[in-house]
Amino acid sequence: MFVPYLKFPGHAAEAFAAYAEIFGGKLETSRFSDIPPGAGAPEPPSEQRNWLLHARLQSVDGGC
């Protein structure tokens, strides 16, 4: 199984949307703004609140 971790400062959403379009599959994302208040995570700067924290592209055959 191939499970890479990539960093795209501020551009991850666009990159993963392109991967989903190219490779197909189901894209699941979490943004920094999805972290609930009081969860113990530091508050990101306002310009980073909409950045992706995590993205997963589930392939058509069920692999990750």
Side-chain angles (χ1 to χ4, degrees):
M1 177 188 314
F2 180 62
V3 184
Y5 275 83
L6 309 171
K7 294 183 180 183
F8 300 90
H11 304 287
E14 294 89 348
F16 273 91
Y19 297 152
E21 187 174 323
I22 293 165
F23 299 115
K26 180 182 177 190
L27 179 60
E28 299 173 8
T29 61
S30 299
R31 298 184 181 274
F32 283 99
S33 60
D34 295 334
I35 299 172
E43 183 72 24
S46 60
E47 66 273 6
Q48 295 177 5
R49 287 194 44 75
N50 205 34
W51 286 14
L52 290 187
L53 173 66
H54 177 79
R56 177 179 182 215
L57 181 59
Q58 177 105 24
S59 67
V60 177
D61 66 1
C64 297

